Amino acid sequence: MKKVEHIGIAVKDFTVSIPLFEKILNTECYKNEAVESEKVNTAFFRKGETKIELLESIEADGVIAKFIEKKGEGIHHIAFEVENIEIEMQRMKSEGFILLNEIPKRGADNKLVCFLHPKGTNGVLIELCEEIK
Ligand code: ZN
């Protein structure tokens, strides 16, 4: 793992949360992207080496909508940048972690991603991500 690439935050409504985070971070949202497979809209902010990814559900039964129903708005996952996602997934698997997807998925912001099951990570949803070159 190289660094924290971004922190994902689940929010109910971009029209409220994008201006809010622009104020907090004192920088403009530089990218909006829908990830249809996850039924989610994303909004990105850059602060130094790390990004903040806001997540808003597209549909009432999406994973983010369900997360907010259970836990409310807030931190959803922490994403670590890796050099080679397949090697890192193999390493995690051999350490006994449960991968939520066995094959790297196409995520937002030009990334291949894989999530680790929070059961094995003290309740923290961890995303591995590799920049698509
Ligand atoms: Zn993410």
Side-chain angles (χ1 to χ4, degrees):
M1 288 190 192
K2 294 204 285 188
K3 62 170 187 188
V4 174
E5 212 278 338
H6 65 270
I7 296 167
I9 300 173
V11 304
K12 284 182 186 163
D13 184 357
F14 270 7
T15 62
V16 174
S17 296
I18 289 176
L20 176 69
F21 276 83
E22 285 180 335
K23 220 181 280 173
I24 293 167
L25 300 170
N26 197 22
T27 187
E28 271 177 38
C29 169
Y30 70 91
K31 189 189 267 186
N32 265 289
E33 190 183 339
V35 183
E36 296 293 341
S37 59
E38 307 292 310
K39 299 178 185 172
V40 74
N41 282 321
T42 64
F44 284 90
F45 304 82
R46 204 188 302 273
K47 261 301 148 171
E49 290 231 317
T50 307
K51 297 167 190 163
I52 298 291
E53 173 188 39
L54 299 184
L55 303 151
E56 176 200 57
S57 194
I58 294 172
E59 286 171 39
D61 66 340
V63 284
I64 293 303
K66 283 179 185 158
F67 175 88
I68 291 172
E69 230 169 76
K70 267 196 355 212
K71 299 191 173 173
E73 292 177 294
I75 293 179
H76 178 260
H77 65 269
I78 298 177
F80 292 94
E81 186 178 332
V82 299
E83 193 64 52
N84 182 314
I85 196 162
E86 266 141 30
I87 290 172
E88 203 65 20
M89 284 167 71
Q90 268 315 315
R91 184 180 78 83
M92 291 298 182
K93 242 175 119 165
S94 68
E95 293 282 2
F97 293 99
I98 303 159
L99 306 179
L100 291 184
N101 49 293
E102 291 290 324
I103 298 164
K105 285 197 289 191
R106 185 80 200 240
D109 201 30
N110 196 40
K111 297 281 196 299
L112 288 173
V113 304
C114 175
F115 287 90
L116 304 186
H117 198 294
K119 261 185 192 165
T121 58
N122 279 173
V124 181
L125 181 60
I126 290 175
E127 173 186 333
L128 307 174
C129 64
E130 177 191 332
E131 179 105 37
I132 300 168
K133 281 136 202 158

